[in-house]
Amino acid sequence: MKKEQDISELERKFQEKIDQDIKIEPKDWMPDNYRKTLIRQISQHAHSEVVGMLPEGNWITRAPNLRRKAVLLAKVQDEAGHGLYLYSATETLGADREDCIDDLHSGKAKYSSIFNYPTLTWADMGAVGWLVDGAAIMNQVPLCRCSYGPYARAMVKVCKEESFHQRQGYEIMMALAAGSVEQKEMAQDALNRFWWPSLMMFGPPDEDSKHTKQSMDWRIKRHSNDELRQMMVDITVPQAEAIGLTIPDADLKWNEEKGGYDYGEIDWDEFWNVVKGNGPCNKDRIDTRRKAKENGAWVREAANAHAEKRKARKLRRAS
Ligand code: 3HC
């Protein structure tokens, strides 16, 4: 047991490192709450990547042509890879991967609200790539400078892939917006449905965000939820205009003084309702993940049995 005085000295040195932008590595001393905050955020992030495969996986067999199918397939596989890096990053903090996944399946752990909305048409693949991956990049590029080394490094590759995802989504929207009247309507309808939920991805407004202050002091987060949301709006509005689509917000207006757009009220009741598990697809998403785990049990057992056999053979040879 360390004395209180020792702990405050360790905390002082820890914060000094953070303030000098020196990365914290797995074996370094860190306050319990820093560790807990990271496990919470990184595991939620991992769950979001994995649950995020479902709305898009739904369209792989229905993509309009072989090129679109191959690209979507690659994208969904990337998300699986992101989930794996992130679960590994939680393990560097001492978390148990199986426990994290069980928490997701029991409803204890959160994942991004956005993945509880249905993907109804092919244009939704465009809107998801453009807006959802767009919002993910906006949030994750600053995470490449997060104070925890393994998380920051994982984010570098993730962000490169996310920017390809954003491009593929925008390119789908460009093609639809330049297509027939029906195709353009389909793109507009997808934008109408995904716009507000995408802005909700950044989390509650700053005044209701219980973790932001501490996470910014620890340089886990580099920007507040509202700052990132504003950046997203400012970047996305001209992109919509460029392809002739309309952002579904009657209050959207350029504000010269702040050098950004003013935008309408976000429906935070809807957000919290989805976060609490009552969104249109929450139940379906978790049921699907649970079934995937059950159906994959034999693969894990077989892989473990094979690994045991190889180990035994190696030992026999060595003796
Ligand atoms: N969906 C669900 N829950 C959310 C949420 C959202 N969009 N935004 C916030 N919350 C939850 C928080 O997890 C927290 O709950 P908890 O205390 O039970 O953990 C609560 O609401 C209060 O929010 P805070 O703002 O205080 O929480 P944070 O400081 O952690 O900020 C965050 C929230 C900005 C999402 C931050 O955790 C973060 O940057 N996370 C890493 C990135 C991430 O997880 N992105 C998810 C999308 S990944 C993705 O989209 C995949 C891609 O392939 C498209």
Side-chain angles (χ1 to χ4, degrees), residues 40-42 44-46 48-49 52 56 75 79 82 110-115 128 132-133 136 139-140 143 151 162 165 200-205 208-212 215 221 225 228 271-272 275:
R40 177 188 63 80
Q41 175 168 326
I42 302 173
Q44 287 177 0
H45 192 165
S48 304
E49 299 283 353
E56 292 180 292
K75 178 185 181 218
E79 308 296 3
H82 300 173
K110 293 191 170 77
Y111 59 92
S112 185
S113 48
I114 190 71
F115 301 117
V128 168
V132 175
D133 291 270
N139 167 277
Q140 289 169 23
L143 288 175
Y151 192 26
E162 295 294 5
H165 299 169
M200 292 175 196
M201 280 176 75
F202 295 95
D208 299 327
S209 166
K210 58 181 170 183
H211 301 297
T212 293
S215 289
K221 284 171 90 162
N225 300 353
L228 291 171
F271 169 75
W272 289 116
V275 172

Side-chain angles (χ1 to χ4, degrees), residues 264-292:
E265 195 56 35
I266 293 176
D267 184 348
W268 291 112
D269 290 340
E270 173 182 324
F271 169 75
W272 289 116
N273 197 40
V274 174
V275 172
K276 282 182 193 137
N278 305 318
C281 301
N282 296 60
K283 189 177 167 322
D284 189 50
R285 300 290 186 239
I286 294 301
D287 283 350
T288 307
R289 288 308 317 157
R290 267 200 223 113
K291 270 192 212 124

Side-chain angles (χ1 to χ4, degrees), residues 45-68:
H45 192 165
H47 300 327
S48 304
E49 299 283 353
V50 170
V51 177
M53 294 162 71
L54 301 175
E56 292 180 292
N58 188 32
W59 277 92
I60 292 172
T61 54
R62 293 180 285 164
N65 59 48
L66 187 59
R67 181 175 80 87
R68 297 274 183 211

Side-chain angles (χ1 to χ4, degrees), residues 100-139:
C100 290
I101 293 172
D102 288 345
D103 286 348
L104 170 71
H105 293 176
S106 71
K108 193 174 153 201
K110 293 191 170 77
Y111 59 92
S112 185
S113 48
I114 190 71
F115 301 117
N116 294 305
Y117 291 85
T119 43
L120 305 176
T121 69
W122 171 250
D124 289 7
M125 293 304 94
V128 168
W130 173 33
L131 303 174
V132 175
D133 291 270
I137 301 171
M138 194 60 77
N139 167 277

